Amino acid sequence: MTFALEMRGITKRFPGVLANDHIDFALETGEIHCLLGENGAGKSTLMNILYGLYRPDEGHIFLDGREVHISSPTDAIRLGIGMVHQHFMLIPVMTVAENIMLGTEIVKNGFVLDQDTAAQRIREISHQYGLEVDPSAYIKDLPVGLQQRVEIVKALYRQASILILDEPTAVLIPQEADDLFTIMRELAKQGKSIIFITHKLGEVFAVADRITVLRNGRVVGTTRPSDATQSSLAAMMVGREVILTVDRRPAQPGDIVLEVRDLKVLDDRGSMAVNGASFEVRAGEVLGIAGVQGNGQTELVEALTGLRPTIAGRVSIDGVDVTNASPRRISEQGVAHIPEDRHEHGMVGSYPVADNLVLNTYYRQPFARGAILDHRAIEEHAWRLVHEFDIRTPSVYMPASNLSGGNQQKMIVAREFSRPIKLLIAAQPTRGLDVGSIEFIHKRLVQARDQGVAVLLVSAELDEIMSLADRIAVMYKGQIIATLDATQAERATLGLLMAGVTSHGA
Amino acid sequence: MQNLSHNTGSPEDERRVRVGLVTDVGHIDDGTFNQYAYEGLRRAATELGLEYTYIETVRPEDHEVNLLILIEEQCGLIITVGNGLGKVVERVAKEHPDVDFVTVDFVVQPPLSNVLSLVFAEDQAGFLAGALAGCITRSNIVGVVAGETVPPVLRFRKGFARGARYVNPKVRVLSEHVESFNDPDKGRSIALSFVERGADVIFGAGGRTGSGAIRGAAEAGAWVIGVDQDEWFTTFERGRAPGSDRLVSSAIKRVDIAVENAVRDWAAGRFKGKSNWLGSLRNGGVGLAPFHAAENVVSQEIRARLNEVTIRLRDGALQTRIGPAGEDQLETLWDRLRVWDWGELAVLVLAVCTALLIGAVVIWVTRAADLRGAGLPWSQVIQEANALVVSAYGGLYEGAIGSPRALAGSLIYCTPYVMAGLAVALGFQCGLFNIGVEGQLYMGALCATVVGFSITGLPIYVHLPLAVAAGALGGAVWGAIPGALKAITGAHEVINTIMMNYIAVKTVDYLVKNPLKDVTATLDRTPFVAESARFPLLVPQLNIHSAVLLAFAAIGLVWYFLFKTTWGFEIRTVGANPSAARYAGISVKRSFVLAMALSGMLAGMGGLDVVLGRPSEYALKAAFSTGFGFDGIAVAMLAKSHPLGVFPAAFLWGALRNGAGLMQVRAQAISIDLVNIIQGLVIMFIAADQIIRWLYRLRARGEKAVVFTRGWGR
C-alpha cells in the first residue's frame, strides 16, 4: 500500500551527535500518528527535515509513493505539508485573515489585497472542520487556544494534507486540549493525516491511531494505543522501567513556614500581576499553585524570592517579615528557589558546573575564607553533588551551557538542596525535561517534603500539580481563587477554576 | 619457565618449588596482613604440595637480611608483606633475576620482570567504611587512627574521610597518623582523645596501632571499624574480647586470596612479572566485613545506602578520587584544558595573521600601482613590490623585537597598554563598557604628578608609593562616578564615561597651561616631579623603568582578584548573567561601582606610569597620552577580557607601534599609518569573528547540536 508520507532511512548528523539514525517512519492517510520521545530523541530534527529546514545526510522521503526532495519550507508547503510550531508564527497586531493570507496573498486589480475572498475561504475552512474563528479579529485579542486554531487554519488554507503539530498542548488548559483533540479527530476523518509530536503519555491515548517512539535518534518501535500502556510507552521512551506515579505518604503538615497576606505585585508593564494573593505553606506539605501561564505566577514567585518589589501586603517566613527583603536575606532564611527560567536566572551558562553549584553559597564557609575562594572545596563539593544527583558531565569544569536541559536542571536542584532549607519554591521545575529527569526531580521534591521542608510548587502542568501537591491553590488573574485539598480535587473542577469559573460550594 | 625447570637437574628442581615469605614487622598470627598473607600461602602450598617457609621480621633493619636468607635457602618465590619491604625488594630483585617475588602493598618502580605487585584499592574499602560511619554517627564527628604515612594507609584514611562526607556532608573527620604499626598504646590514647572530642565512630587503620585504637574506643563505648581483615575474629577474639559488640565492621583487603592466587599461578607457570594486580570492589579484593554483633545497629536503610555506594564505586560511576600514592586526585590541568574552547584562541591568532597578510597586500598593491603608473614593466614592478613588503615587515620586526633595544622599547611602550587593557577588561568582566579609561588615565596622571612635584624631601620609598596611591585614587574616583550613576540612576556608563573623558582631558589641559604650568619651561607642562617620585630605572641604558614591574604585578593581581576572590566572583557573575547574579543574591549595583572604581584605578596607574616612569616625561604635558585609553579597548578585546591575555595583546600593540618607526625608515614609500590599518583590521576581525571563522572554516561555538551529555537512563 502507499502511505501519505513515508520517510526511509533518514539520517542526520550534527557535530558530535547522531540526531537521526536511519529512521523509518510511515504515515497513513487519515490517521493521527503520534511521535513520542524525550527531548533530544530526534523528533524535532526529523520534523524539521520533513519541513525542509534541514537536509538529511541520508534517506528518502516519499509522498503518496512518489519520492520528493524538500529543500525549504516553501517546498514543504507546496507539497501539502503544514506545520504548527510550538511557538506561534503570528503577528499580534494583524487580523486573523491578514495573518492567514500572509505569504499567499490574493490580489485583485494587480495590487489590491482581496481580503474578502480570503475571509470567505477562511470561513469555509472553519465551517468544514469545525474550527470556528473570526477572520476579522486581531490576534492579540485572542486566547492562546484560538491562536493555535488560527495556525491550523493557516495550514489548511495553504491546502496542507499533512499536518505536523509540535507539542500543541503545552500552552493549553485541559478543556482547550480536549477541544483540540476533537478538531484533530475531525480533520483525520476528513482525510487529513496528522503527525502529533508530544512527550505527554496521557494525550497519546486520547487521540492517537498509531504511535512511533524515538529514542537517541532511532525508532524504538511503532505500536497502537490498544497494544500499549502508559508504562510500556514510558519504558520505550526512556529505555528502562519508569515509575510514573509519585510514591508518597500522606503529608504531615507542621507549623506555617511561608505566610503570604494580601500580596500585590506589578508586572514589567506596571499592571497588577498579583492582586491581593493570600496563602500559607506549612512545613512538610506541598502547596501546588495551578493556573494557566500568565496569571501572575511568575511575578508571585519573583516577589517571594526578592527579585521583584511588592507594592502591598506581607510575606513572612517562619514568622520573620521578609517583605521586599533582598534575595540574599531571603535565601539565608533557608529558602531554596528553583527558578522558572533556568537559563535566565538559574545558572551562568559560561561558568563551569562547579561554580554554578556554589552560585549562591560561594561567599560562605567552606567555599570562601574571608574574601578568598577555596577552589578545592568548591571542586570537592561539585564532585559530591555531581555524583549524588547524577549530573552527567565529563568534568565539573565543563561550562554549564554544554549540558543537556535535564542535567542543567539537576545541577540547579542539586545546588538548592545542598544547603539546609526550610522552604523550597519550585517554579515550573520540570518544564522541557525528559521523563527520566522529571521522575528524578519529583522524587527529590517529595523527599524534601518528607524531611519537613515546606514546598511551594508552581506549575502549568496540571498532572504535575495533581500528583505532587497536598493542597492545590488555583491562581487566576493575580488572585488565589480557590484552595482545595488534593485528595478531593478533580481534574474537571480544576480546569474550570483555571479558566476563572468559580461555582459556589467548590 | 618454571615448567621447564621441573625437568632439569634435581637441585634446580628443589630450588624452584620452595616458597618463602617475609613478614612486615610482626608475626604470622598477629591478626594483620602478615597473618593473612601467610594463610594464603599456606593454603596454596598445602594443596599443591609445595614446600614453604617464612621469616618473621622483628626490626625494619632486618628486612634485607631476611630476604637474603630466603634466597640462600633456595626459595624460588618470595612473598614480601608490607610497604616497608618494598625498597629492599626493588634492590634485591634486580640482583637475583632467577628468583621471583610477590610484593604485597608495594609497587616496584620501574617494574621488574621477576616481580609481581599485589595492591589494593584501600580507598574504596575506606570509602565504604567512611560511608558506614557517616550513616551511623549521631554526633557527626568520626575519627581515624592511622598508621605510618605510607600510600595504603593514606588511601584508607582519605577514602574514609571522603566516604563519610559523601553520605553525610555535615560530618567532621578527625584523623591522626602514628608513625608505627606496632604501637597499640599510642593508638589507644589517640582514639580515646577523639572520643573525648565527641567522635562516636573510630576507624583504626594501621596494623596493631589501629587495633589498639579500636579496642580502646570500643571499651569507651564508641562504634569502631577495623581494617585489613575482619577484626572481629582477630582483635576482638571472635567476640570474646570486651567491646566486641561495638565493632560495626571492618574495611578488608583480601590479602589471603591475592597471595593464594599468586602462588597458584606461579606454581602453574603463569607467573606474571612486571605487572600489578589490583584488588578492588570489582574483583572482590576489597570490601566490608560482616556486621557481626552490631547487626542491629545497621538498619535496612543504611544497608541499602551502602549497597548503592558499593555498586556505584564498583561500576566506576562514583570515584574516590584518591591516587595510587594516596594523593588527592582532583581535576588535573589537562582535565581543565580539555574543556577549553581552543577555537577561540585560533580565531585570535588567525585574526592577527590575516591582518598582517592584508597589510602586506596593501603595501604590495600601492607600490605596484605607483610603479605601473610610472610605466615600469611588470617583471620589475613585481620584484620591487615584493622587495618593499620584505623590507617593510623586516623593519617592523627589527624595530619591534629585533634587538635588545627594540625589545626594551616595545616593553616600555606596552606598559600603559597593559594597564589600560586591564582596566577595560575588568569592566568587560562585569559587563560594563568603560570607554572612560582615557579620562581616568589623565586624572591618575594628574594626581600623581601633583603629589610628585609639590612634595619634596621625602625618601623614595615613601614618596613614590604616595604618588602612585594618589594617581590610583584619582583614577578610581573618576571611574567610580559613572559606576555610581549607573547603579543609582541607571544612566548608561558608555555615555557618562565619554563625557567624563572630555572633562578630564580639558581639565588637565587647563591646569597644565595655567595654574600648574612650569613657568621656566617653553613647553606647556607641569614642573618635573621630584627625583623621589620617579620609578627607578632597572636597566638605565635601555630606559627600562620599574613601572614595568608594576604592570606585571597588576596582571597577576587582577587575575587573582577576578578568579580567586568572592568579589571577583561577584563581578564576573554580574558580567556573565546579571539576572542569575541577582537570583544568587549578589548586589549588582555594588558590583557595578566596585568594578568601575577598580577599572578607573588601573587606568589611573596606566597614566602615572607614563609620567613617573619614562625619562622622556617626568612631568605632565597637556597631551601626554597617545590614546592609550582607547587602545586599551582594543587590547582588552584582543585579550578576550582575560587578564592573562592582556600581556600578549598589549605587547603586540606596543611592538607594532614601536616597530613602526623603523619600518618607515626601511621602506620609505609607505606610511607609518600602515600599523594603524593592521591594528584596525585585527580588531575588526575579532569583533566580527564570523569573518575569520568563515575564511578558515572554523566551526562556530554554541551550536545547538554540540551537547556533550544528554539523556538519562544510559
Side-chain angles (χ1 to χ4, degrees):
Chain A
M1 78 177 274
T2 58
F3 294 99
L5 163 74
E6 199 181 354
M7 300 175 88
R8 274 191 221 147
I10 300 289
T11 298
K12 178 73 187 172
R13 291 179 197 88
F14 289 112
V17 176
L18 191 54
N20 280 177
D21 183 4
H22 296 93
I23 287 188
D24 294 321
F25 177 79
L27 181 68
E28 286 170 15
T29 308
E31 78 164 341
I32 300 175
H33 195 138
C34 184
L35 199 54
L36 193 64
E38 296 191 294
N39 288 312
K43 298 171 302 202
S44 303
T45 307
L46 186 68
M47 287 304 110
N48 284 334
I49 287 171
L50 179 59
Y51 201 57
L53 290 165
Y54 294 149
R55 303 292 299 272
D57 297 330
E58 288 168 37
H60 306 274
I61 302 173
F62 301 88
L63 287 176
D64 295 323
R66 220 159 30 83
E67 177 157 11
V68 292
H69 296 279
I70 305 171
S71 53
S72 71
T74 320
D75 284 356
I77 292 166
R78 191 172 43 77
L79 291 165
I81 300 169
M83 185 154 177
V84 176
H85 296 270
Q86 210 170 352
H87 304 285
F88 305 142
M89 312 279 172
L90 298 171
I91 299 166
V93 295
M94 287 187 173
T95 64
V96 170
E98 284 169 335
N99 266 288
I100 288 174
M101 61 194 289
L102 207 64
T104 51
E105 296 89 347
I106 308 173
V107 177
K108 61 184 177 192
N109 308 332
F111 61 91
V112 181
L113 280 180
D114 189 354
Q115 297 231 25
D116 295 338
T117 316
Q120 187 53 40
R121 276 212 49 209
I122 291 166
R123 271 190 214 95
E124 282 168 24
I125 292 168
S126 297
H127 187 70
Q128 188 184 348
Y129 300 101
L131 286 157
E132 294 308 327
V133 278
D134 174 9
S136 60
Y138 285 90
I139 294 294
K140 62 180 163 60
D141 301 331
L142 297 181
V144 179
L146 277 181
Q147 291 188 17
Q148 190 172 58
R149 204 173 278 189
V150 174
E151 282 279 15
I152 297 173
V153 174
K154 186 163 87 180
L156 296 172
Y157 181 89
R158 292 170 177 182
Q159 297 173 333
S161 58
I162 296 172
L163 269 177
I164 307 167
L165 303 179
D166 186 5
E167 309 237 349
T169 56
V171 291
L172 306 179
I173 62 166
Q175 279 84 352
E176 286 176 322
D178 288 341
D179 289 347
L180 174 69
F181 295 154
T182 314
I183 291 166
M184 283 166 67
R185 276 188 223 103
E186 184 59 36
L187 287 166
K189 206 159 73 184
Q190 299 195 35
K192 305 286 181 197
S193 315
I194 299 174
I195 302 173
F196 175 48
I197 303 174
T198 187
H199 62 256
K200 292 187 196 168
L201 294 167
E203 297 177 347
V204 174
F205 289 93
V207 76
D209 295 317
R210 286 201 302 156
I211 306 153
T212 293
V213 182
L214 296 187
R215 185 174 78 234
N216 291 337
R218 290 191 201 162
V219 174
V220 186
T222 300
T223 179
R224 291 178 185 282
S226 51
D227 305 333
T229 62
Q230 291 218 6
S231 44
S232 76
L233 288 180
M236 280 169 89
M237 272 164 77
V238 185
R240 63 180 168 84
E241 285 302 317
V242 178
I243 299 121
L244 286 172
T245 49
V246 186
D247 202 20
R248 63 201 185 99
R249 297 184 296 242
Q252 284 159 348
D255 296 334
I256 291 176
V257 175
L258 172 70
E259 187 173 13
V260 178
R261 285 285 157 259
D262 303 317
L263 191 70
K264 292 189 179 176
V265 186
L266 298 179
D267 65 14
D268 289 334
R269 287 163 305 183
S271 52
M272 195 71 80
V274 179
N275 193 359
S278 298
F279 59 90
E280 69 282 315
V281 190
R282 291 172 178 274
E285 72 161 357
V286 179
L287 175 70
I289 295 207
V292 181
Q293 276 176 52
N295 273 290
Q297 299 99 316
T298 308
E299 288 79 8
L300 172 68
V301 168
E302 285 180 354
L304 295 180
T305 50
L307 292 169
R308 184 179 285 274
T310 64
I311 55 166
R314 185 175 185 290
V315 180
S316 60
I317 291 163
D318 256 3
V320 181
D321 186 359
V322 291
T323 321
N324 288 328
S326 71
R328 170 133 320 158
R329 226 196 105 210
I330 291 174
S331 99
E332 284 183 346
Q333 282 292 317
V335 178
H337 176 198
I338 300 173
E340 177 177 332
D341 185 336
R342 60 173 165 269
H343 295 283
E344 175 78 9
H345 286 109
M347 58 181 244
V348 179
S350 58
Y351 272 16
V353 173
D355 286 358
N356 271 297
L357 285 170
V358 294
L359 200 60
N360 47 18
T361 47
Y362 65 90
Y363 61 95
R364 288 199 216 166
Q365 290 269 20
F367 309 124
R369 273 189 221 100
I372 310 300
L373 292 174
D374 184 343
H375 283 273
R376 280 221 144 179
I378 291 173
E379 188 182 308
E380 237 189 90
H381 170 80
W383 275 115
R384 201 170 62 70
L385 293 185
V386 161
H387 288 313
E388 189 178 337
F389 286 81
D390 197 19
I391 304 164
R392 301 288 164 92
T393 172
S395 159
V396 296
Y397 288 104
M398 179 65 75
S401 54
N402 286 347
L403 266 55
S404 70
N407 282 303
Q408 288 172 345
Q409 189 73 337
K410 278 193 275 182
M411 177 181 80
I412 292 166
V413 170
R415 178 185 66 218
E416 295 305 302
F417 279 42
S418 68
R419 60 202 162 98
I421 53 170
K422 284 187 263 184
L423 170 66
L424 170 66
I425 298 176
Q428 321 285 2
T430 59
R431 175 143 78 194
L433 299 188
D434 52 277
V435 176
S437 306
I438 292 173
E439 182 191 6
F440 178 88
I441 284 162
H442 283 177
K443 255 195 221 157
R444 287 286 176 170
L445 291 180
V446 173
Q447 211 176 319
R449 180 201 76 162
D450 290 345
Q451 286 162 2
V453 174
V455 180
L456 179 69
L457 170 70
V458 179
S459 175
E461 302 269 351
L462 196 50
D463 290 330
E464 180 165 88
I465 298 271
M466 291 186 69
S467 64
L468 289 178
D470 301 308
R471 289 187 302 130
I472 301 172
V474 180
M475 195 161 183
Y476 180 73
K477 293 205 169 154
Q479 286 174 320
I480 304 290
I481 58 167
T483 307
L484 297 85
D485 199 292
T487 49
Q488 283 149 28
E490 277 171 38
R491 216 184 154 72
T493 326
L494 287 171
L496 284 174
L497 284 167
M498 283 161 75
V501 183
T502 46
S503 58
H504 290 280
Chain B
M1 257 170 65
Q2 279 80 27
N3 284 345
L4 284 176
S5 64
H6 286 290
N7 305 328
T8 52
S10 70
E12 188 76 46
D13 206 345
E14 194 182 63
R15 180 193 171 104
R16 284 298 177 193
V17 291
R18 211 178 152 102
V19 183
L21 179 140
V22 186
T23 67
D24 202 344
V25 178
H27 302 285
I28 53 152
D29 57 353
D30 65 355
T32 70
F33 56 177
N34 286 329
Q35 179 174 353
Y36 265 53
Y38 175 71
E39 280 171 8
L41 165 64
R42 193 171 48 90
R43 276 206 299 271
T46 317
E47 202 172 303
L48 299 167
L50 296 171
E51 200 178 320
Y52 67 95
T53 180
Y54 62 88
I55 300 181
E56 293 175 334
T57 306
V58 182
R59 295 175 309 157
E61 302 88 87
D62 299 337
H63 283 325
E64 181 153 11
V65 180
N66 292 346
L67 262 188
L68 293 174
I69 291 173
L70 286 181
I71 293 172
E72 203 60 20
E73 284 188 12
Q74 305 296 302
C75 286
L77 175 68
I78 296 173
I79 296 153
T80 66
V81 186
N83 203 272
L85 266 152
K87 286 287 160 201
V88 180
V89 176
E90 245 171 23
R91 206 168 46 241
V92 175
K94 227 178 287 172
E95 290 160 13
H96 298 272
D98 52 332
V99 181
D100 291 325
F101 295 84
V102 170
T103 59
V104 175
D105 271 4
F106 185 84
V107 178
V108 291
Q109 281 303 343
L112 297 169
S113 60
N114 59 335
V115 181
L116 165 69
S117 303
L118 305 180
V119 286
F120 297 86
E122 288 92 354
D123 48 330
Q124 292 187 339
F127 196 96
L128 283 177
L132 175 59
C135 285
I136 60 173
T137 178
R138 306 236 164 215
S139 63
N140 283 336
I141 303 176
V142 299
V144 191
V145 181
E148 293 174 25
T149 357
V150 290
V153 176
L154 276 171
R155 288 201 294 267
F156 266 130
R157 196 202 88 203
K158 291 192 173 179
F160 181 83
R162 287 252 156 92
R165 279 200 295 267
Y166 176 75
V167 296
N168 183 351
K170 289 194 287 284
V171 85
R172 238 178 76 212
V173 183
L174 310 171
S175 65
E176 198 166 328
H177 281 280
V178 177
E179 291 307 325
S180 158
F181 288 118
N182 275 300
D183 197 344
D185 293 336
K186 185 86 180 281
R188 185 189 185 89
S189 70
I190 293 171
L192 290 177
S193 78
F194 284 170
V195 173
E196 211 151 286
R197 284 162 68 187
D200 60 354
V201 187
I202 301 292
F203 177 46
R208 295 184 54 223
T209 309
S211 302
I214 58 175
R215 268 191 82 150
E219 284 164 28
W223 296 113
V224 297
I225 299 173
V227 85
D228 283 346
Q229 50 280 140
D230 189 346
E231 297 206 39
W232 196 77
F233 292 105
T234 53
T235 310
F236 290 97
E237 301 160 20
R238 295 181 174 272
R240 284 193 294 273
S244 47
D245 55 326
R246 306 302 290 177
L247 180 76
V248 201
S249 183
S250 302
I252 51 171
K253 279 162 50 171
R254 297 307 301 266
V255 178
D256 54 337
I257 294 179
V259 169
E260 187 181 336
N261 288 340
V263 173
R264 280 176 198 280
D265 283 353
W266 179 78
R270 291 196 305 265
F271 180 79
K272 283 202 284 290
K274 223 174 184 173
S275 70
N276 302 331
W277 179 87
L278 175 71
S280 65
L281 282 175
R282 191 172 279 285
N283 56 22
V286 298
L288 273 190
F291 306 122
H292 297 295
E295 194 77 26
N296 299 330
V297 190
V298 187
S299 67
Q300 282 308 318
E301 235 167 282
I302 296 178
R303 281 168 208 231
R305 186 89 172 98
L306 284 177
N307 203 24
E308 178 206 320
V309 173
T310 310
I311 290 168
R312 300 194 63 191
L313 273 176
R314 188 191 65 201
D315 298 346
L318 175 61
Q319 246 132 53
T320 61
R321 303 195 81 76
I322 295 165
E327 77 276 20
D328 290 313
Q329 244 177 10
L330 295 175
E331 298 239 337
T332 60
L333 191 62
W334 169 242
D335 288 327
R336 286 154 172 253
L337 291 180
R338 225 178 21 170
V339 298
W340 242 52
D341 188 4
W342 290 97
E344 285 295 282
L345 191 65
V347 168
L348 297 180
V349 173
L350 289 172
V352 172
C353 295
T354 312
L356 286 170
L357 203 69
I358 294 178
V361 171
V362 170
I363 299 172
W364 199 94
V365 170
T366 30
R367 185 66 178 155
D370 274 0
L371 296 175
R372 274 302 284 175
L376 278 106
W378 266 117
S379 57
Q380 201 183 340
V381 168
I382 291 170
Q383 204 180 355
E384 292 237 346
N386 286 350
L388 189 71
V389 170
V390 171
S391 62
Y393 274 16
L396 186 62
Y397 170 81
E398 252 180 73
I401 50 173
S403 64
R405 177 160 294 279
L407 205 57
S410 295
L411 197 62
I412 295 162
Y413 234 112
C414 89
T415 45
Y417 290 132
V418 168
M419 301 305 290
L422 282 176
V424 180
L426 196 108
F428 278 154
Q429 289 279 0
C430 193
L432 296 168
F433 196 173
N434 181 8
I435 301 188
V437 170
E438 185 78 358
Q440 292 143 19
L441 202 112
Y442 268 84
M443 292 316 275
L446 175 70
C447 295
T449 314
V450 169
V451 171
F453 71 72
S454 58
I455 306 173
T456 47
L458 288 175
I460 183 163
Y461 54 84
V462 177
H463 199 182
L464 181 61
L466 197 66
V468 170
L473 189 68
V477 169
W478 212 248
I481 293 168
L485 287 174
K486 183 181 175 89
I488 297 163
T489 69
H492 204 286
E493 77 278 4
V494 168
I495 310 290
N496 281 326
T497 49
I498 291 175
M499 297 304 151
M500 300 279 287
N501 276 348
Y502 286 118
I503 300 172
V505 174
K506 294 299 167 195
T507 304
V508 167
D509 193 59
Y510 168 77
L511 290 175
V512 166
K513 285 176 179 162
N514 298 292
L516 296 183
K517 183 173 158 60
D518 184 350
V519 284
T520 63
T522 46
L523 223 83
D524 286 331
R525 63 160 174 81
T526 63
F528 286 115
V529 295
E531 195 105 1
S532 55
R534 297 175 187 172
F535 281 102
L537 292 177
L538 293 176
V539 188
Q541 42 301 26
L542 296 177
N543 277 340
I544 298 182
H545 53 76
S546 42
V548 173
L549 301 179
L550 189 71
F552 279 110
I555 290 174
L557 284 173
V558 171
W559 173 81
Y560 187 86
F561 172 78
L562 279 175
F563 296 99
K564 302 286 168 192
T565 68
T566 54
W567 288 13
F569 187 90
E570 289 174 1
I571 283 179
R572 285 187 297 123
T573 308
V574 169
N577 184 345
S579 313
R582 247 162 62 72
Y583 159 87
I586 293 167
S587 168
V588 176
K589 292 178 174 181
R590 200 189 73 171
S591 294
F592 279 159
V593 180
L594 181 66
M596 279 305 289
L598 289 174
S599 177
M601 186 181 92
L602 290 164
M605 286 164 77
L608 67 87
D609 84 26
V610 174
V611 288
L612 304 186
R614 293 189 183 171
S616 58
E617 308 282 327
Y618 288 153
L620 185 59
K621 295 171 193 156
F624 82 103
S625 163
T626 52
F628 295 124
F630 299 111
D631 280 321
I633 297 168
V635 168
M637 283 178 72
L638 186 55
K640 288 277 166 191
S641 308
H642 198 289
L644 301 186
V646 164
F647 181 73
F651 189 81
L652 176 74
W653 237 240
L656 283 174
R657 284 279 155 85
N658 188 37
L662 193 62
M663 175 186 78
Q664 206 183 14
V665 173
R666 291 284 175 79
Q668 296 283 334
I670 55 168
S671 155
I672 199 161
D673 292 330
L674 180 77
V675 165
N676 290 343
I677 293 178
I678 293 172
Q679 289 183 337
L681 285 170
V682 169
I683 290 311
M684 188 184 86
F685 287 141
I686 288 168
D689 63 347
Q690 284 305 324
I691 301 174
I692 291 294
R693 291 185 190 279
W694 173 77
L695 267 177
Y696 298 97
R697 305 288 184 272
L698 288 173
R699 200 180 304 130
R701 81 180 299 178
E703 249 192 22
K704 263 232 140 99
V706 188
V707 174
F708 283 85
T709 54
R710 56 165 79 244
W712 191 280
R714 255 196 46 75

